[in-house]
Amino acid sequence: MKRQRYLPTPVLSLVLLVVWLLLVRSLAVGQLLLGTLLAVAIPLLTRGFWEPLPHIRRPLKLARFVLVVLWDIIVANLQVSRLILSFKRQAQPGFIEYPLEVKERLAITLLANTITMTPGTVSTSIRPDGESLLIHALDMHDEQALIHAIRERYERPLKEIFEC
Amino acid sequence: MATLVAPLLALALLLIQAPAVLAGDVVTLQLAWMPLLGLDLALRLDGLALLFALLILGIGTLILYYSGDYLSADEDDGRFLAYMMLFMASMLGIVVADNLLLLWLFWELTSIASFLLIGFWGSHSDARRGARMALTVTSAGGLALLAGFLLLGQAAGSFALGEVLAAGDAIRASDHYPLIVALVLVGAFTKSAQFPFHFWLPHAMAAPTPVSAYLHSATMVKAGVFLMARLNPALGDTALWSLCLTLTGLTTLLYGAWFALLERDLKGLLAFSTVSHLGLITLLLGLGSPLALAAATFHILNHATFKAALFLGAGIIDHETGTRDLDRLGALWSMMPLTGTLTLLAGAAMAGLPPFNGFLSKEMLLGESLETDVLGTLSVIIPLLVLLGATLSVAYSLRLMWRLFFAAPRRSREQKALPPMAVHDPAPGLLAPGLSLAALSLLVGLFPMALAAPLVQAASWAVQGEATLELHLTLWHGLNWPLAMSLLAIAGGVVALRQHRRLAQIAALFSPRDASRSFEAAVLRVIKASLWLTQRLETGSLQRYQALLILCALAMAGIGLVKLDTLTGAAGMQSLDAMLVLGAALTVFAAISSALSHRWRLVSILMLSVVGLMVSLAFVRFSAPDLALTQLSVEVVTMILMILALFFLPQRPPLLVSGRRILRDLVLATALGLVTAMLNYALLTRERPAIADYFLRESVPGGGGANVVNVILVDFRGFDTFGEITVLTLAGLATFGLLHGLKLFMPAGNVEGIRWSPQRYPLILAVISQLLLPLALLVSVNIFLRGHNQPGGGFVAGLITATALILQYMARGHAWTRTRLPISYPIVAVSGLAVALATGLGSWLFGYPFLTSAFGHFHLPLIGDIELATAMLFDLGVFLAVVGATLMILVNLGRVTTIHRPSLEEP
Amino acid sequence: MSQHLIALPIVLPMLAALVLVLLAGRIPDRHQRLLSVAFTALLVLVNLALLSRASGGEVAFYALGNWQAPFGIVLMLDRLSALMLTLTSVLAVGCVLFACAGDDTRGSYFHALFQLQLMGLDGAFLTGDIFNLFVFFEILLLASYALLMHGGGKARIGAGLHYVVLNMTGSALFLVALGVLYGATGTLNMADMARRVASLSSDQTALVTAGGLLLIVVFSLKAALLPLYFWLPHAYAAAPAPVAALFAIMTKVGLYAILRMQTLVFAGSPAAPAIDTWLWWSGLATLALAAVGVLAARDLRTLIAYLVLISVGTLLAGTALQSPAANAALLYYLPHTTLICGALFLIAELIGRQRGKAGTHLVRGRRLYQRFLLGGLFLVAAIAVAGLPPMAGALGKLMLLQAVEGSARLWFWPLLLLAGLCTLVALSRAGSVFFWASYRGEVATGRVSRTQLSGVLWLLASAPLLVLFGGPMSAFTLATAQQLAQPQAVIAELLGDAAAAQASQFHEIPGEAP
Amino acid sequence: MTFFVIIEGVLAFLLVAGGIFAFNGSLGMLRLEDFYMRLHGPTKGTTLGIGCVLLASMLYFTVTQREFHVQELLITLFLFLTAPVTGHMLAKTGLHMHVRFSPRSRGSLPEFHDEDVGQGRVARPARARHPWRTRKARRSRLRQGETS
Amino acid sequence: MLDTALWICLTLIVLAMALNVYRLAAGPDVPDRLLALDTLYVNSIALIVLLGLRLNTKIYFEAALLIAMLGFVGTMAICRYLLRGDIIE
Amino acid sequence: MEALFSLVVGVLTASGVYLLLRARTFPVIIGLSLLSYAVNLFLFSSGGLRTNAAPVIGASLAPTDPLPHALVLTAIVIGFAMTAFVVILAVRARSELGSDHVDGQHGEEEGPR
Ligand code: NA
Ligand code: NA
């Protein structure tokens, strides 16, 4: 209860502390203290804006997920570059409706963002009911394969990370 | 009757001084007032002043006594008497002033007082017209007089009357002499109703009769005459002066007399006769011989007495019968014998019949007219014309008496004669003043040496400027030419009266009020022309005003540029690189696009924002990190602001402009652009002397910060920043007023005509803004704290915080955010100002000027050195003010727009 | 404490504004008003103290932040600034009293905005730094925008839009001028700039001329000179009465700035003759056209706005004469015309309210409820503004006329005298329509409240008082003008002998001013 | 020495790659045929390009100034937070505004809902002339009614 | 080598910005222009960082950070404007 | 470089002025913004155009004149405040005058002027 009151979002506080140290480029005691102070104070100040978010249950999975996404971003770029630079091949664009399994706001957001950042896809719209995601693909040959790939590569890990 | 105390007291004072003055002394009083101006509170009592002062106070007392009974009970007695007293005082001021400027002040004061008196019955349109006309004419004259006085004073070397009068030779020799004479005479003639400025006087008869009696017999109109007499020693004795006065006087004499003869309105007749008599006096002043001057002063006295009496009599008749129309009146003798006596006595004086005072002065005029040679060989016509005037004067005086008291009233078709029964002599209060004045006319005529000669003699000394003349006034001069002419005039007058109807037919050929009509028409034309001109100038078109402003700037900057020897200065140019060229090209392209696409508003905004970005990059490129930060953060907020507003402005307005207009604007714009560029280039290629080194050197030791820009902002020139956050807060407060009670036009769809999306708060945006808020706040704190030594500071930090909060409003809506942030933004902004102000005032406690900063390094265990500066406190004030003001502006606008959103669109 | 007095005219209204905003909604209107009036009255006292200090003839400087000129910003108190400060606060008392009768609650934050307006005005009059002048101009402009549109309404917003946009363009030009001047002289302090301008090469003087002339364009916009005054009649006629009354000082800020530039910064420089030529012809033309406008006006407020323009034209043409006598005359005339135009706006409002629908239009209307009271007030104000005795206008006009020498008279005298005549004709027409030509019958109510009356009387009292104390007052303005004619004294007093020492550290400064 | 050569090589590689990626993203925006396809360029290419440049910057300053310079990570963090949101919202806006797409597009066209593509038109004012290009023939729109 | 690489990278980024501006001007639709503007902002981050590299200073770093953090807010505002009209509701 | 810089300032000024002369409030606002960019650059350049000379002690060897930076910063902030005010005024004017013409409906009626 007490922790809840003074440190409502420990992960956020940690992130803030790290960001602070990055900003000041120093590990001096003074900066550490100031950073800690801010890391505690800012979440407290903005508590009202902080709608309850799911806790990260599997930090390791998260790390792995991040790495996968980073890799995919590089791959995505190479693919897109090829497509843009090549004069011969014509892309085969298309829209798909992706039924969502995750229901949590942050998870949906992360998934949508991931989809946008990674191979050949951009999330274009989330249905207001949160049931599905409309995705535009730059070069789509098989709808089902794409849905499957997204499901396996991104949605499942996210679901596991947040256990929802 | 308490009002009589003041004039009587003054009269008493005057009489105490009288013996000395009559003996030829000049009594003066001097008080310094505005030495810079040459204006002193200086008074002078000589013979002329005494004569006039006696008239003003004596007749004034009688008339005040009269008006106590004259005004009906429901009228505002007090106000009337106040105006009268004001008038009396200012008139007295004119005659006793010993300083030209002081005289002018009183002169103008009489115009104002007379305006109020003439317009006393302002609900009648003729009273209003008459008052305005009198004011306009006499004030115009007054202004000319002022100019004349200023030149006169300069020519004489002083405004003190004594010195001016003594400097006659210098004045007459000065280059400005003709101009001075012209200006002074315009002043005098307008006041004295001399031709061609006479036309206001008959209209002024709309005033209550006591006013007419006072103003138009003894005082106001005499002011002009007084002035001519007063300045005679300084300005007179030249051909120009004599000619002007003689001709004007003659013309006025005849003109007034002629129209007096034809006038139907009782007071109108008296008014024209006044005009005529004033002409007579002017003529006498123009003749200029010692005796003529004495005659002038004598006639001033005589005219004042009999004319005041006549006006008072006319007032009684008007009061009793309710009309002043000579055609409706008649046969009043039997009903009003005392009034009749009054009028007959005074009328006889006016006609110049013996043994009344009018006869004496007229004889003198006739005599002097025979002597004069002002017109050279043409001087012969003067006595003839004077004789004609005297004849007419007899005629209209007889007509007045005859028609009122002895002839039967005439009935014209639309008018009825008055029922004679109701009319009788009034109460003694009304009769006594008039009767005593009429009696005085007779007595002066009978005993001129005893009653008038000393006074007239003293006055004429003042007019001549030397006390040489010994005056002998007698009723009987023996048989001589003047007497013959008088008899001729009387006979002629009787004939003219008999032939009145025929004369009237001739007169009908020219309307007597031509001058006044054309004056009014002229005023009207002037006003219409003014309106036309004003409307042409002030079209109410902002575009025009802007074009004028730009044109001015263009011309002015151009003048400076023209004076430049070479455009390129000695410092020369730095080299270019490709990036700069491309950046410049993009900026230029974006700016021009933004201008050209102004009707495609969203695109215009986007292009504008490109320009903003490029400007920020330019700041980076040219070593101004603080400016880049500021520009970038302002950019974001401005964009939000513009988009907020765009929603309520027409998306695509119709085209309403001609090609010529566009061409004109393009030319103007290009020209100013060119001039600005040239100025900028000229500056950039020249050496710059600057005080920069001081800031760079003092920043760390004196201001305690390494970021010199920030130290300048919060310390060296903290006062600018203080003003700047005041402006910002002020903008916030000001927009409150604009948004108060705002009614808006809500478009039903966006630019493309598509209906609004039903989804209010997109999920992803909401989540991301939530994540971003703490990070942004952290960055904001960082930027704030480092500001003193690194790029950053309270302003940028404040904008970051504000933007992060605005993002919450955008993502989650007003209501949601408001409940989580229940702060009053005006209070935040004002607290910021308060913090800054308190920091500034704090230095007073230590005896330093406002906003003096202090800083120190403190060593704390574990943490090490930290620097604390009051400048940071000041910067905190800046931060708060920025956050408060920005949110106040944006959120208020956002909130207002939401309130007016139609509810039918809610999902 | 007494050395800080100079900063008080800026600090005090600021403090007042802060207190008023913080207390807005927390204390009743009555207390708000009391506070606002009290602060304004206090400001009058402060300014009077400053006036008495300045009348000694010494120029006092106040180095803000304890940074000496030319590096920091200094406030500069001489006779001129003390006069302007006192005038402003005296005018403000009348306006704020009048506003307390109800005009203040028609929008938000009236009193706070009013105080900030005063702060801006005071700052503009006090500052000795040209960029700081810009900042205070912006403060007073923004406050004036808000006050002008206080209460809203079609006419106000329409006129306000023009006023705002024109002034924003003006501010942009101001900054360009500042850029040129800083670039050419390398300083912002007025005295320092004057010193440097005097020793510039002809090449750089051309740039200074360009900058100076641009600056004068900006100030002419504020002062409302001929091609730049067309916004004024609408704006002043539309403004709420107490605001319009306060605006009587706004044009004088432009005049003040011009006077300051001409007598200090550009004194003797090649820019000065060009500026004088502009001021002379433009001022005379303004005078002439404003007189025409006075005749053309069909509404009393518009008429008064043109009267303001007449005084602008008169004053600026007088400024162009550049003689101590002329400056003394116009400084005597200035307080008078400012206060009386202010009073006239207030009186017009009172008249308009009692005439119902006819308002201040020059048409016959209902009989006024307090005909004689308002008529009397109007009469006094009209006499004063027309330059007739026994009010100060007459003396001011006399001084001005006397100050003009030689061939300049040929233009100035007839124009000034005719403008006076036009004023008289127009005001007598207005007065006779309002007070004499009314319909009999139902009388409107709208009694003049005691605070309104006290506000009007406070302003009107100046007219006889300036006559009564014409001697000392004219002596003061002459002393002011003589002080203005001695810019070297100001420079020496501020930069002193130390200036020479400092200057040697700055190799950029080509030489010392003589 | 070799250490610095290698570092220099890495730096050069990162810079060139970053430049190419970023340029490529913008080139894609130029070349691809409809809005939705163009969206892919910047969201990916540019973001990665910037990432490379930032990496180069971190490396460069860390090596030259001999202390950790990892602040650039913050920019990356913010970019990775905001770029996809931008992309998403732009796509959503595009759909809402009936921005046309390539006729070769495949997929769940019938799945478009009203909330995606905006509800019909309202009466609209006369359209302003495009400022610098004469408008092409009316573009085909996404409305189902129009396509079928 | 580093200088050359820096030069290449800078050139590419500036060219990319030029392309963005072209797309911004050419449209054809508002979202296209918006996308172009956003990309321009992102590219300018790279430009600032590269300038810092070239001048060997980190003094302009915060400018880049600011663009990364706040640049998208404007884009969001316009998106909201096109979607809902009212951006703060 | 100086010529190029001046050219940019000139073009910004010209574009701004052209928009200032338009009849609708919105372009006038854009014009004011453009003009203030131009003016800020102008004022900024009065301290000279230097590369890598940020006026931060220790960051550069020969820092540039910092004063114009501070002035421009103040000008930017004041410009922002003024823009905010005039933007809201434009909205108010549209609501009050029934048109976004700078002269209200009065200007609308008169057509091209
Ligand atoms: Na993707
Ligand atoms: Na809203």
Side-chain angles (χ1 to χ4, degrees), chain B residues 621 623 661 738 740 743, chain F residues 37 50-51 92 95 113:
Chain B
R621 177 67 173 72
S623 316
R661 166 57 71 91
L738 285 182
H740 182 78
K743 286 188 245 25
Chain F
Y37 287 134
R50 306 263 305 273
T51 309
R92 175 84 197 208
S95 129
R113 286 197 297 174

Side-chain angles (χ1 to χ4, degrees), chain B residues 275-595:
Chain B
V275 169
S276 170
H277 280 272
L278 291 168
L280 192 158
I281 299 169
T282 307
L283 172 62
L284 278 169
L285 290 170
L287 296 180
S289 66
L291 211 59
L293 296 180
T297 46
F298 190 31
H299 196 69
I300 287 169
L301 173 70
N302 298 340
H303 177 253
T305 48
F306 66 68
K307 192 52 68 60
L310 281 171
F311 269 117
L312 294 180
I316 293 169
I317 294 168
D318 184 14
H319 201 256
E320 296 297 319
T321 64
T323 183
R324 302 191 318 235
D325 189 340
L326 282 178
D327 282 354
R328 295 174 68 195
L329 293 162
L332 294 173
W333 181 256
S334 53
M335 291 165 277
M336 311 174 85
L338 288 174
T339 313
T341 311
L342 184 170
T343 311
L344 289 189
L345 288 175
M350 177 160 79
L353 301 180
F356 294 93
N357 58 3
F359 172 74
L360 288 176
S361 43
K362 195 170 70 180
E363 287 288 284
M364 289 169 83
L365 166 67
L366 292 170
E368 287 307 302
S369 71
L370 291 168
E371 304 285 317
T372 188
D373 59 346
V374 282
L375 298 184
T377 48
L378 282 179
S379 301
V380 197
I381 62 163
I382 294 181
L384 293 177
L385 292 175
V386 168
L387 180 61
L388 177 60
T391 312
L392 288 172
S393 156
V394 172
Y396 66 70
S397 305
L398 292 179
R399 175 169 171 251
L400 173 78
M401 300 184 269
W402 175 252
R403 282 238 57 86
L404 280 176
F405 297 100
F406 308 110
R410 284 186 205 162
R411 297 149 209 252
S412 58
R413 258 154 290 158
E414 74 277 20
Q415 292 167 333
K416 287 184 195 137
L418 289 170
M421 313 311 283
V423 183
H424 51 79
D425 267 328
L430 282 175
L431 269 173
L435 273 173
S436 48
L437 283 170
L440 192 65
S441 320
L442 179 61
L443 289 174
V444 168
L446 291 174
F447 315 105
M449 279 312 283
L451 289 172
L455 191 58
V456 171
Q457 180 178 278
S460 69
W461 289 344
V463 178
Q464 284 166 50
E466 50 192 3
T468 51
L469 182 83
E470 287 280 327
L471 192 63
H472 292 284
L473 298 172
T474 54
L475 198 56
W476 180 248
H477 283 271
L479 283 172
N480 56 8
W481 272 110
L483 183 65
M485 287 165 84
S486 275
L487 292 175
L488 208 59
I490 294 167
V494 174
V495 173
L497 182 61
R498 298 295 296 269
Q499 298 298 318
H500 181 260
R501 193 160 297 185
R502 202 161 299 162
L503 287 175
Q505 282 164 356
I506 301 170
L509 297 176
F510 9 44
S511 167
R513 297 198 183 180
D514 266 352
S516 76
R517 284 234 187 90
S518 54
F519 172 80
E520 290 209 321
V523 170
L524 219 63
R525 257 202 307 281
V526 168
I527 288 177
K528 277 209 177 118
S530 311
L531 195 61
W532 177 84
L533 182 61
T534 307
Q535 279 170 343
R536 295 303 296 272
L537 287 174
E538 280 161 57
T539 52
S541 160
L542 178 62
Q543 290 167 280
R544 242 181 89 154
Y545 303 166
Q546 289 269 50
L548 283 171
L549 176 57
I550 285 158
L551 212 58
C552 278
L554 202 58
M556 291 307 209
I559 289 175
L561 274 178
V562 166
K563 292 185 176 172
L564 218 52
D565 302 332
T566 57
L567 198 59
T568 311
M573 287 210 270
Q574 304 174 48
S575 61
L576 274 174
D577 64 36
M579 265 198 351
L580 280 173
V581 176
L582 204 58
L586 290 186
T587 317
V588 165
F589 176 78
I592 293 176
S593 305
S594 181

Side-chain angles (χ1 to χ4, degrees), chain B residues 644 647-648 814 891 893-899 901, chain E residues 86-89:
Chain B
L644 266 172
F647 180 42
F648 291 102
H814 181 265
V891 173
L893 181 58
R895 190 180 57 82
V896 170
T897 59
T898 307
I899 294 170
R901 206 185 164 95
Chain E
D86 195 2
I87 64 176
I88 296 178
E89 50 180 336

Side-chain angles (χ1 to χ4, degrees), chain A residues 6-148:
Chain A
Y6 294 113
L7 209 56
T9 48
V11 180
L12 176 66
S13 294
L14 190 66
V15 171
L16 289 179
L17 179 61
V18 171
V19 168
W20 179 258
L21 294 175
L22 281 178
L23 277 171
V24 297
R25 265 195 311 123
S26 155
L27 283 174
V29 183
Q31 294 298 356
L32 271 172
L33 278 176
L34 189 57
T36 315
L37 184 72
L38 289 168
V40 174
I42 288 179
L44 279 174
L45 276 173
T46 59
R47 201 166 28 183
F49 294 89
W50 202 252
E51 295 216 322
L53 286 181
H55 291 293
I56 300 161
R57 311 284 175 185
R58 304 265 190 90
L60 277 182
K61 279 237 163 186
L62 178 63
R64 189 176 163 265
F65 176 76
V66 168
L67 287 178
V68 167
V69 170
L70 281 179
W71 176 250
D72 284 355
I73 288 173
I74 294 167
V75 173
N77 273 291
L78 291 175
Q79 284 179 355
V80 172
S81 303
R82 225 174 53 212
L83 210 66
I84 291 169
L85 291 172
S86 89
F87 286 87
K88 282 180 226 150
R89 221 172 77 77
Q90 281 220 314
Q92 174 56 69
F95 285 94
I96 55 163
E97 172 120 7
Y98 177 82
L100 282 168
E101 282 184 7
V102 289
K103 299 291 173 220
E104 207 286 322
R105 286 159 28 93
L106 181 62
I108 294 176
T109 307
L110 282 182
L111 181 62
N113 283 3
T114 311
I115 288 169
T116 305
M117 298 295 287
T118 50
T121 49
V122 170
S123 70
T124 56
S125 184
I126 303 170
R127 296 266 182 267
D129 52 13
E131 288 295 325
S132 60
L133 201 59
L134 190 64
I135 294 171
H136 181 262
L138 183 58
D139 195 13
M140 181 180 74
H141 297 286
D142 183 352
E143 279 186 44
Q144 287 313 313
L146 185 58
I147 291 178
H148 181 74

